[in-house]
Amino acid sequence: MNLTVPFGRDVIESIIPHRDPFLLIDEVVELEPGRRVVATRAVRADDPWFAGHFPGRPVMPGVLIVEAMAQAGAVAVLVEEENRGRIAFFAGIDDCRFKRVVEPGDVLTLTCEIDQVRGPIGRGKATAHVGDALAARGTLTFAVER
């Protein structure tokens, strides 16, 4: 697949199986297939989780920030020809830390660098930033369905 960045949700949906309301990336701005991806997510006041997390003080749940990082990583993995049409399952996260609250109006920049792949199993270092501020980081493990 020959992709030109940046690209939006229509192309993202042709690569990963996630759909609204669970597609958590809006745009891919950098891509090196199988190696590195940078994606963005505009955090909106009408995102469904804010109704309950937390009323009067909306905060994006940390698990959804991690999921957004994983979805960005999935783009880098599933865009490769041998993985097209497959699912990359989230298999684990290590050394996860949350450093900043993410709230409506923030734009998350999600980076994942794939640093190890052995067969269908791989690992990547992921970060989520708001501007220059680190919001979250962790090492993701994934398994590509065969």
Coordinates of all heavy atoms in Angstrom, one line a residue, residues 51-139:
A51 N -19.0 12.1 30.0 CA -20.3 12.2 30.7 C -20.1 11.6 32.1 O -20.8 12.0 33.1 CB -21.4 11.4 30.0
G52 N -19.2 10.6 32.3 CA -19.1 9.9 33.6 C -17.7 10.0 34.1 O -17.5 9.5 35.2
H53 N -16.8 10.6 33.4 CA -15.4 10.6 33.9 C -14.8 12.0 33.7 O -14.0 12.2 32.8 CB -14.5 9.6 33.1 CG -13.2 9.2 33.7 ND1 -12.1 9.9 33.5 CD2 -12.9 8.2 34.5 CE1 -11.1 9.4 34.1 NE2 -11.5 8.3 34.8
F54 N -15.0 12.9 34.5 CA -15.8 13.0 35.7 C -16.8 14.1 35.5 O -16.4 15.2 35.0 CB -14.9 13.2 36.9 CG -13.9 12.2 37.1 CD1 -12.6 12.4 36.7 CD2 -14.2 11.0 37.7 CE1 -11.6 11.4 37.0 CE2 -13.2 10.0 38.0 CZ -11.9 10.2 37.6
P55 N -18.0 14.0 35.9 CA -19.0 15.1 35.8 C -18.4 16.3 36.5 O -18.0 16.3 37.6 CB -20.2 14.6 36.5 CG -20.1 13.1 36.4 CD -18.6 12.8 36.5
G56 N -18.4 17.4 35.8 CA -17.9 18.7 36.3 C -16.4 18.8 36.2 O -15.9 19.9 36.3
R57 N -15.7 17.7 35.9 CA -14.2 17.8 35.8 C -13.8 16.7 34.7 O -13.3 15.7 35.1 CB -13.5 17.5 37.1 CG -12.0 17.5 37.0 CD -11.4 18.9 36.7 NE -10.0 18.9 36.8 CZ -9.1 18.8 35.9 NH1 -9.5 18.6 34.6 NH2 -7.8 18.8 36.1
P58 N -14.1 17.0 33.5 CA -13.8 16.0 32.4 C -12.3 15.7 32.3 O -11.5 16.6 32.1 CB -14.4 16.6 31.2 CG -14.4 18.0 31.4 CD -14.6 18.2 32.9
V59 N -11.9 14.4 32.4 CA -10.6 13.9 32.3 C -10.6 12.7 31.4 O -11.4 11.7 31.6 CB -10.0 13.6 33.6 CG1 -8.6 12.9 33.5 CG2 -9.9 14.8 34.5
M60 N -9.8 12.6 30.4 CA -9.7 11.4 29.5 C -9.1 10.3 30.3 O -8.0 10.4 30.9 CB -8.8 11.7 28.3 CG -8.8 10.5 27.3 SD -7.9 11.0 25.8 CE -8.2 9.5 24.8
P61 N -9.8 9.1 30.4 CA -9.3 8.0 31.1 C -7.9 7.5 30.6 O -7.7 7.5 29.4 CB -10.4 6.9 30.9 CG -11.6 7.7 30.6 CD -11.1 8.9 29.8
G62 N -7.1 7.2 31.6 CA -5.7 6.8 31.2 C -5.7 5.5 30.3 O -4.9 5.4 29.4
V63 N -6.7 4.6 30.6 CA -6.7 3.4 29.7 C -7.0 3.8 28.3 O -6.6 3.1 27.4 CB -7.7 2.4 30.3 CG1 -7.3 1.8 31.6 CG2 -9.1 2.9 30.3
L64 N -7.8 4.9 28.0 CA -8.1 5.3 26.7 C -6.9 6.0 26.0 O -6.7 5.9 24.8 CB -9.3 6.1 26.6 CG -10.6 5.4 27.0 CD1 -11.8 6.4 26.9 CD2 -10.8 4.2 26.2
I65 N -6.1 6.6 26.8 CA -4.8 7.2 26.3 C -3.9 6.1 25.8 O -3.3 6.1 24.8 CB -4.1 8.1 27.3 CG1 -5.0 9.3 27.7 CG2 -2.8 8.6 26.8 CD1 -4.5 10.1 28.9
V66 N -3.8 5.0 26.7 CA -3.0 3.8 26.3 C -3.6 3.2 25.0 O -2.8 2.8 24.1 CB -3.0 2.8 27.5 CG1 -2.3 1.5 27.0 CG2 -2.2 3.4 28.6
E67 N -4.9 3.1 25.0 CA -5.5 2.5 23.8 C -5.2 3.3 22.5 O -5.0 2.8 21.5 CB -7.0 2.3 24.0 CG -7.8 1.9 22.8 CD -7.4 0.4 22.3 OE1 -6.9 -0.4 23.1 OE2 -7.7 0.1 21.1
A68 N -5.2 4.6 22.7 CA -4.9 5.5 21.5 C -3.5 5.3 21.1 O -3.2 5.2 19.9 CB -5.2 7.0 21.9
M69 N -2.6 5.1 22.0 CA -1.2 4.8 21.7 C -1.1 3.5 20.9 O -0.4 3.4 19.9 CB -0.3 4.8 22.9 CG -0.1 6.2 23.6 SD 1.1 6.2 24.9 CE 0.6 5.0 26.1
A70 N -1.8 2.5 21.4 CA -1.8 1.2 20.8 C -2.4 1.2 19.4 O -1.9 0.6 18.5 CB -2.6 0.2 21.7
Q71 N -3.5 2.0 19.2 CA -4.1 2.1 17.9 C -3.1 2.8 16.9 O -3.0 2.3 15.7 CB -5.4 2.9 17.9 CG -6.5 2.1 18.6 CD -7.8 2.9 18.6 OE1 -8.0 3.8 17.8 NE2 -8.7 2.4 19.5
A72 N -2.4 3.8 17.4 CA -1.3 4.4 16.5 C -0.3 3.3 16.1 O 0.1 3.2 14.9 CB -0.7 5.5 17.2
G73 N 0.2 2.5 17.1 CA 1.1 1.5 16.8 C 0.6 0.5 15.8 O 1.3 0.0 15.0
A74 N -0.7 0.1 16.0 CA -1.3 -0.8 15.1 C -1.3 -0.4 13.6 O -1.1 -1.2 12.7 CB -2.8 -1.1 15.5
V75 N -1.4 0.9 13.4 CA -1.3 1.5 12.0 C 0.1 1.1 11.5 O 0.2 0.6 10.3 CB -1.6 3.0 12.0 CG1 -1.2 3.6 10.6 CG2 -3.0 3.3 12.3
A76 N 1.1 1.4 12.2 CA 2.5 1.1 11.7 C 2.7 -0.4 11.4 O 3.4 -0.7 10.5 CB 3.5 1.5 12.8
V77 N 2.0 -1.3 12.2 CA 2.2 -2.7 12.0 C 1.3 -3.2 10.9 O 1.7 -4.0 10.0 CB 1.9 -3.5 13.3 CG1 1.8 -5.0 13.1 CG2 2.9 -3.1 14.3
L78 N 0.0 -2.8 10.9 CA -1.0 -3.4 9.9 C -0.9 -2.8 8.5 O -1.5 -3.3 7.6 CB -2.4 -3.2 10.5 CG -2.6 -4.0 11.8 CD1 -4.0 -3.8 12.3 CD2 -2.3 -5.5 11.6
V79 N -0.2 -1.7 8.4 CA 0.0 -1.1 7.0 C 1.0 -2.0 6.2 O 1.0 -1.9 5.0 CB 0.4 0.4 7.1 CG1 1.9 0.5 7.5 CG2 0.2 1.1 5.8
E80 N 1.8 -2.8 6.9 CA 2.7 -3.6 6.1 C 1.9 -4.7 5.3 O 0.9 -5.2 5.8 CB 3.7 -4.3 7.1 CG 4.7 -3.4 7.7 CD 5.7 -4.1 8.5 OE1 5.4 -4.7 9.5 OE2 6.9 -4.1 8.0
E81 N 2.4 -4.9 4.1 CA 1.7 -5.8 3.2 C 1.3 -7.2 3.8 O 0.2 -7.7 3.7 CB 2.5 -6.0 1.9 CG 1.7 -6.6 0.8 CD 0.4 -5.8 0.4 OE1 0.5 -4.6 0.4 OE2 -0.6 -6.4 0.2
E82 N 2.3 -7.8 4.5 CA 2.0 -9.1 5.1 C 1.0 -9.1 6.2 O 0.5 -10.2 6.6 CB 3.3 -9.8 5.6 CG 4.0 -9.1 6.7 CD 5.0 -8.0 6.3 OE1 5.0 -7.5 5.2 OE2 5.9 -7.7 7.2
N83 N 0.7 -7.9 6.8 CA -0.3 -7.8 7.9 C -1.6 -7.2 7.4 O -2.5 -7.1 8.3 CB 0.3 -7.0 9.0 CG 1.4 -7.7 9.7 OD1 1.5 -9.0 9.7 ND2 2.4 -7.0 10.1
R84 N -1.8 -6.9 6.2 CA -3.0 -6.2 5.7 C -4.2 -7.1 6.0 O -4.2 -8.3 5.7 CB -2.9 -5.9 4.2 CG -1.8 -4.9 3.8 CD -2.1 -3.5 4.2 NE -3.2 -3.0 3.5 CZ -4.1 -2.1 4.1 NH1 -3.9 -1.7 5.3 NH2 -5.1 -1.7 3.4
G85 N -5.3 -6.5 6.5 CA -6.5 -7.2 6.8 C -6.5 -8.0 8.1 O -7.5 -8.6 8.4
R86 N -5.4 -8.0 8.8 CA -5.3 -8.7 10.1 C -5.7 -7.8 11.2 O -5.9 -6.6 11.1 CB -3.9 -9.3 10.2 CG -3.6 -10.3 9.1 CD -2.2 -10.8 9.3 NE -1.8 -11.5 8.1 CZ -1.6 -12.8 8.1 NH1 -1.8 -13.5 9.2 NH2 -1.2 -13.4 7.0
I87 N -5.7 -8.4 12.4 CA -5.9 -7.6 13.7 C -4.7 -7.7 14.5 O -4.1 -8.8 14.6 CB -7.1 -8.1 14.4 CG1 -8.4 -7.9 13.6 CG2 -7.2 -7.5 15.8 CD1 -9.7 -8.5 14.3
A88 N -4.2 -6.6 15.1 CA -3.1 -6.6 16.0 C -3.8 -6.5 17.4 O -4.4 -5.5 17.7 CB -2.2 -5.4 15.8
F89 N -3.7 -7.6 18.2 CA -4.2 -7.6 19.5 C -3.2 -7.0 20.5 O -2.0 -7.2 20.4 CB -4.6 -9.0 19.9 CG -5.7 -9.6 19.2 CD1 -5.5 -10.5 18.2 CD2 -7.0 -9.2 19.5 CE1 -6.6 -11.0 17.5 CE2 -8.1 -9.8 18.8 CZ -7.9 -10.7 17.8
F90 N -3.8 -6.2 21.4 CA -3.0 -5.6 22.5 C -2.7 -6.7 23.5 O -3.6 -7.3 24.0 CB -3.9 -4.5 23.1 CG -3.2 -3.5 24.0 CD1 -1.8 -3.6 24.2 CD2 -3.9 -2.6 24.7 CE1 -1.2 -2.7 25.1 CE2 -3.3 -1.7 25.6 CZ -2.0 -1.7 25.7
A91 N -1.4 -7.0 23.7 CA -1.0 -8.1 24.5 C -0.4 -7.7 25.8 O -0.2 -8.5 26.7 CB 0.0 -9.0 23.7
G92 N -0.1 -6.4 26.0 CA 0.5 -6.0 27.3 C 1.1 -4.6 27.2 O 1.3 -4.1 26.2
I93 N 1.3 -4.1 28.4 CA 2.0 -2.8 28.5 C 2.9 -2.9 29.8 O 2.5 -3.4 30.8 CB 1.0 -1.6 28.6 CG1 1.8 -0.3 28.6 CG2 0.1 -1.7 29.8 CD1 1.0 0.9 28.2
D94 N 4.1 -2.4 29.6 CA 5.1 -2.3 30.7 C 5.5 -0.9 30.9 O 5.5 -0.1 29.9 CB 6.3 -3.2 30.3 CG 5.9 -4.7 30.2 OD1 5.4 -5.2 31.2 OD2 6.2 -5.3 29.2
D95 N 5.9 -0.6 32.1 CA 6.5 0.7 32.5 C 5.6 1.8 32.1 O 6.0 2.9 31.6 CB 7.9 0.9 31.8 CG 8.8 -0.2 32.2 OD1 8.8 -0.6 33.4 OD2 9.6 -0.7 31.4
C96 N 4.3 1.7 32.2 CA 3.3 2.7 31.9 C 3.3 3.8 33.0 O 3.2 3.4 34.2 CB 1.9 2.1 31.7 SG 0.7 3.3 31.1
R97 N 3.3 5.0 32.6 CA 3.3 6.1 33.5 C 2.4 7.2 32.9 O 2.5 7.5 31.7 CB 4.7 6.7 33.8 CG 5.6 5.8 34.5 CD 5.2 5.5 35.9 NE 6.1 4.6 36.6 CZ 5.9 3.3 36.7 NH1 4.9 2.7 36.1 NH2 6.7 2.5 37.3
F98 N 1.6 7.9 33.8 CA 0.8 9.0 33.4 C 1.4 10.2 34.0 O 1.6 10.3 35.2 CB -0.7 8.8 33.8 CG -1.2 7.6 33.2 CD1 -1.3 6.4 33.8 CD2 -1.7 7.6 31.8 CE1 -1.8 5.2 33.3 CE2 -2.2 6.4 31.2 CZ -2.3 5.3 32.0
K99 N 1.6 11.3 33.2 CA 2.3 12.4 33.7 C 1.5 13.7 33.7 O 1.9 14.7 34.3 CB 3.6 12.7 32.8 CG 4.6 11.5 32.8 CD 5.2 11.3 34.2 CE 6.3 10.3 34.2 NZ 6.9 10.2 35.5
R100 N 0.4 13.7 32.9 CA -0.4 14.9 32.8 C -1.8 14.5 32.5 O -2.1 13.6 31.8 CB 0.1 15.7 31.6 CG -0.6 17.0 31.2 CD -0.2 17.5 29.8 NE -0.7 18.8 29.6 CZ -1.9 19.1 29.2 NH1 -2.8 18.1 29.1 NH2 -2.2 20.3 28.9
V101 N -2.8 15.3 33.1 CA -4.2 15.1 32.8 C -4.5 15.6 31.4 O -3.9 16.5 30.9 CB -5.0 16.0 33.8 CG1 -6.5 16.1 33.4 CG2 -4.9 15.4 35.2
V102 N -5.3 14.8 30.7 CA -5.8 15.1 29.3 C -7.2 15.5 29.4 O -8.0 14.7 29.9 CB -5.5 13.9 28.4 CG1 -6.0 14.3 27.0 CG2 -4.0 13.6 28.3
E103 N -7.6 16.6 28.8 CA -9.0 17.2 29.0 C -9.4 17.7 27.6 O -8.7 17.9 26.7 CB -9.0 18.2 30.1 CG -8.0 19.3 29.9 CD -7.7 20.0 31.3 OE1 -8.4 19.8 32.3 OE2 -6.8 20.8 31.3
P104 N -10.8 18.0 27.6 CA -11.3 18.5 26.3 C -10.5 19.7 25.8 O -10.1 20.6 26.6 CB -12.7 18.9 26.7 CG -13.1 18.0 27.8 CD -11.8 17.8 28.6
G105 N -10.3 19.8 24.5 CA -9.5 20.9 23.9 C -8.1 20.5 23.7 O -7.4 21.2 22.9
D106 N -7.6 19.5 24.4 CA -6.2 19.1 24.2 C -6.1 18.3 22.8 O -7.0 17.7 22.4 CB -5.7 18.1 25.3 CG -5.5 18.9 26.6 OD1 -5.4 20.1 26.6 OD2 -5.4 18.2 27.6
V107 N -4.9 18.4 22.2 CA -4.6 17.5 21.1 C -3.5 16.6 21.5 O -2.4 17.1 21.9 CB -4.2 18.4 19.8 CG1 -3.8 17.5 18.7 CG2 -5.3 19.3 19.4
L108 N -3.8 15.3 21.5 CA -2.8 14.3 21.8 C -1.9 14.0 20.6 O -2.5 13.8 19.5 CB -3.4 13.0 22.2 CG -4.0 12.9 23.6 CD1 -4.7 11.6 23.8 CD2 -2.8 13.0 24.6
T109 N -0.6 14.0 20.7 CA 0.3 13.5 19.7 C 0.8 12.2 20.2 O 1.4 12.1 21.2 CB 1.4 14.5 19.5 OG1 0.9 15.8 19.0 CG2 2.4 14.0 18.4
L110 N 0.5 11.1 19.4 CA 0.8 9.7 19.8 C 1.9 9.2 18.9 O 1.8 9.2 17.7 CB -0.5 8.9 19.6 CG -1.7 9.5 20.3 CD1 -3.0 9.1 19.6 CD2 -1.8 9.1 21.7
T111 N 3.0 8.8 19.6 CA 4.1 8.3 18.8 C 4.3 6.8 19.3 O 4.3 6.5 20.5 CB 5.4 9.1 19.1 OG1 5.1 10.5 18.7 CG2 6.6 8.6 18.3
C112 N 4.6 5.9 18.3 CA 5.0 4.6 18.7 C 6.1 4.2 17.8 O 6.0 4.3 16.5 CB 3.8 3.6 18.5 SG 4.2 1.9 19.1
E113 N 7.2 3.7 18.4 CA 8.4 3.2 17.7 C 8.5 1.7 17.9 O 8.7 1.3 19.1 CB 9.6 4.0 18.1 CG 9.5 5.4 17.8 CD 10.8 6.2 17.9 OE1 11.9 5.5 18.0 OE2 10.8 7.4 18.0
I114 N 8.3 0.9 16.9 CA 8.4 -0.5 17.0 C 9.9 -0.9 17.1 O 10.7 -0.6 16.2 CB 7.8 -1.2 15.7 CG1 6.4 -0.7 15.5 CG2 7.8 -2.7 15.9 CD1 5.3 -0.9 16.5
D115 N 10.2 -1.6 18.2 CA 11.6 -1.8 18.4 C 12.0 -3.3 18.4 O 13.1 -3.7 18.4 CB 12.2 -1.2 19.7 CG 11.5 -1.6 20.9 OD1 10.6 -2.5 20.9 OD2 11.7 -1.0 22.0
Q116 N 10.9 -4.2 18.4 CA 11.2 -5.6 18.3 C 10.0 -6.4 17.7 O 8.9 -6.1 18.1 CB 11.5 -6.1 19.8 CG 11.9 -7.5 19.9 CD 12.1 -7.9 21.4 OE1 11.2 -7.9 22.1 NE2 13.3 -8.2 21.7
V117 N 10.3 -7.2 16.8 CA 9.3 -8.1 16.2 C 9.9 -9.5 16.0 O 11.0 -9.6 15.4 CB 8.8 -7.6 14.8 CG1 7.7 -8.5 14.2 CG2 8.2 -6.2 15.0
R118 N 9.2 -10.5 16.6 CA 9.6 -11.9 16.4 C 8.3 -12.6 16.0 O 7.5 -12.9 16.9 CB 10.2 -12.5 17.7 CG 11.6 -11.9 17.9 CD 12.3 -12.8 18.9 NE 13.7 -12.2 19.1 CZ 14.1 -11.6 20.3 NH1 13.2 -11.5 21.3 NH2 15.3 -11.2 20.4
G119 N 8.3 -13.0 14.7 CA 7.0 -13.7 14.3 C 5.9 -12.7 14.4 O 6.0 -11.6 14.1
P120 N 4.8 -13.2 15.0 CA 3.6 -12.4 15.1 C 3.6 -11.4 16.4 O 2.7 -10.6 16.6 CB 2.5 -13.4 15.3 CG 3.1 -14.5 16.0 CD 4.5 -14.6 15.4
I121 N 4.6 -11.6 17.2 CA 4.7 -10.8 18.5 C 5.7 -9.6 18.3 O 6.8 -9.8 17.7 CB 5.2 -11.7 19.6 CG1 4.3 -12.9 19.8 CG2 5.2 -10.9 21.0 CD1 2.9 -12.7 20.1
G122 N 5.3 -8.5 18.8 CA 6.2 -7.3 18.7 C 6.0 -6.4 19.9 O 5.1 -6.5 20.7
R123 N 7.0 -5.5 20.0 CA 7.0 -4.5 21.1 C 7.3 -3.1 20.5 O 8.1 -3.0 19.5 CB 8.0 -4.8 22.2 CG 7.6 -6.0 23.0 CD 8.7 -6.4 24.0 NE 9.1 -5.4 24.9 CZ 8.5 -5.3 26.2 NH1 7.6 -6.2 26.5 NH2 8.9 -4.4 27.0
G124 N 6.7 -2.1 21.1 CA 7.0 -0.8 20.7 C 7.0 0.2 21.9 O 6.2 0.0 22.8
K125 N 7.8 1.2 21.8 CA 7.8 2.3 22.8 C 6.8 3.4 22.4 O 6.9 3.9 21.3 CB 9.2 2.8 23.1 CG 10.1 1.8 23.7 CD 11.4 2.4 24.1 CE 12.3 1.5 24.8 NZ 12.0 0.1 25.0
A126 N 5.9 3.7 23.3 CA 4.8 4.7 22.9 C 4.8 5.8 23.8 O 5.1 5.7 25.0 CB 3.5 4.0 22.8
T127 N 4.5 7.0 23.3 CA 4.3 8.2 24.1 C 3.0 8.9 23.6 O 2.6 8.8 22.5 CB 5.4 9.2 24.0 OG1 5.6 9.6 22.7 CG2 6.7 8.6 24.6
A128 N 2.4 9.7 24.6 CA 1.3 10.6 24.3 C 1.7 11.9 24.8 O 2.1 12.0 26.0 CB 0.0 10.1 24.9
H129 N 1.8 13.0 24.0 CA 2.1 14.3 24.4 C 0.9 15.2 24.1 O 0.2 15.0 23.2 CB 3.3 14.8 23.6 CG 4.6 14.3 24.0 ND1 5.1 13.1 23.6 CD2 5.6 14.8 24.8 CE1 6.3 12.9 24.1 NE2 6.6 13.9 24.9
V130 N 0.8 16.3 25.0 CA 0.0 17.4 24.7 C 0.9 18.6 24.6 O 1.6 19.0 25.5 CB -1.1 17.7 25.8 CG1 -1.8 18.9 25.5 CG2 -2.0 16.5 26.0
G131 N 1.1 19.1 23.3 CA 2.2 20.1 23.1 C 3.5 19.4 23.4 O 3.8 18.3 23.0
D132 N 4.3 20.1 24.2 CA 5.6 19.6 24.6 C 5.5 18.8 25.9 O 6.5 18.2 26.3 CB 6.6 20.7 24.8 CG 7.0 21.4 23.5 OD1 6.9 20.8 22.4 OD2 7.3 22.6 23.5
A133 N 4.4 18.7 26.5 CA 4.2 18.0 27.8 C 3.9 16.5 27.6 O 2.9 16.2 26.9 CB 3.2 18.7 28.6
L134 N 4.7 15.7 28.2 CA 4.4 14.2 28.2 C 3.2 13.9 29.0 O 3.1 14.3 30.2 CB 5.6 13.5 28.8 CG 5.5 12.0 28.8 CD1 5.4 11.4 27.4 CD2 6.7 11.4 29.6
A135 N 2.2 13.3 28.4 CA 1.0 12.9 29.1 C 1.1 11.4 29.6 O 0.6 11.1 30.7 CB -0.2 13.1 28.2
A136 N 1.6 10.6 28.8 CA 1.7 9.1 29.1 C 2.8 8.5 28.3 O 3.2 9.0 27.2 CB 0.4 8.4 28.9
R137 N 3.4 7.4 28.8 CA 4.4 6.6 28.1 C 4.2 5.2 28.5 O 3.7 4.9 29.6 CB 5.8 7.1 28.4 CG 6.2 6.9 29.8 CD 7.7 7.2 29.9 NE 8.1 7.3 31.3 CZ 8.3 6.3 32.1 NH1 8.2 5.0 31.7 NH2 8.7 6.4 33.4
G138 N 4.7 4.3 27.7 CA 4.7 2.9 28.0 C 5.3 2.1 26.9 O 5.5 2.6 25.8
T139 N 5.6 0.8 27.2 CA 6.1 -0.1 26.2 C 5.0 -1.1 25.9 O 4.5 -1.8 26.8 CB 7.4 -0.9 26.7 OG1 8.4 0.1 27.0 CG2 7.9 -1.9 25.7

